[in-house]
Amino acid sequence: MTTAQGIDRHPDQQTARPAEGEVGSCSTVVLGLGNTLLGDDGAGVATVGRLNHQTRDDVIWLDGGTLNFTLLAHLAADRNLIAVDAARLDAPAGTVRVFVDGEMDAFLNSGRAGSIHEVSLAELLDMARLSGAFPRRRALVAIQPAKVDWDAELSCEVAAGVEVAAEAVMKLLEAFSDDQG
């Protein structure tokens, strides 16, 4: 789980698989993060699970679980990264905020970001930077949890937030594609 501030979008306001095609041809990795046994911490994984039926040759949909350095193999300097994770946003449960490029970097490195994952997203991106695999464009889609405790189900508020987060991911994919074209 991460901590954040940014532009709010509450839902009341309006196990992943790779996409078809070769992994090398993809331009964006969508990475769902979280522990699905800790209630709302699994929001990122749930979001990617909601979207992984999308057949797109330019996207790899990944369940990143609680993160580890093996995910580095999916990052590359010629790819984009969209990470989806539960985050402390100091906002109502289910609120979704999107941090893009420098906003994401600043948020992850602000000292306000915390993580209950094996490896933090900031650490994974630091390794990517050092290995020359730092994503061309990057974004964090963050969802405010209501509860992070032993539970295999999302709260109602976060389940609604997953729908908003899925829309945000699709908009980011479109924006990232437009930037390349």
Side-chain angles (χ1 to χ4, degrees):
M1 184 156 61
T2 351
T3 350
Q5 75 180 44
I7 299 168
D8 283 357
R9 179 152 184 241
H10 194 269
D12 292 342
Q13 304 167 318
Q14 226 342 282
T15 316
R17 60 177 167 72
E20 299 281 322
E22 297 200 13
V23 170
S25 68
C26 93
S27 63
T28 303
V29 173
V30 179
L31 182 62
L33 302 173
N35 186 334
T36 58
L37 297 177
L38 289 177
D40 293 343
D41 188 58
V45 173
T47 302
V48 170
R50 160 92 174 66
L51 291 169
N52 76 352
H53 68 280
Q54 303 284 329
T55 305
R56 293 183 59 138
D57 290 341
D58 62 336
V59 178
I60 296 176
W61 306 97
L62 287 177
D63 174 346
T66 58
L67 273 170
N68 66 51
F69 287 125
T70 61
L71 293 170
L72 189 59
H74 296 283
L75 303 183
D78 63 340
R79 290 188 181 152
N80 303 313
L81 171 67
I82 299 171
V84 187
D85 198 4
R88 279 184 233 114
L89 304 171
D90 298 324
T95 298
V96 173
R97 290 185 183 158
V98 177
F99 301 88
V100 179
D101 296 331
E103 292 173 344
M104 177 182 175
D105 301 339
F107 168 71
L108 292 176
N109 295 308
S110 68
R112 295 170 307 169
S115 179
I116 60 173
H117 306 311
E118 279 179 56
V119 172
S120 73
L121 183 55
E123 290 169 324
L124 181 67
L125 288 174
D126 286 343
M127 288 298 296
R129 188 177 284 112
L130 290 171
S131 68
F134 194 69
R136 174 180 48 230
R137 299 285 318 268
R138 61 217 164 278
L140 172 64
V141 178
I143 305 169
Q144 171 69 48
K147 61 180 176 61
V148 177
D149 201 358
W150 292 111
D151 193 343
E153 301 293 323
L154 298 174
S155 66
C156 292
E157 301 92 343
V158 170
V162 163
E163 297 304 314
V164 174
E167 291 174 21
V169 168
M170 295 308 291
K171 287 179 183 174
L172 285 164
L173 286 170
E174 186 176 315
F176 286 1
S177 290
D178 290 347
D179 289 349
Q180 293 174 16

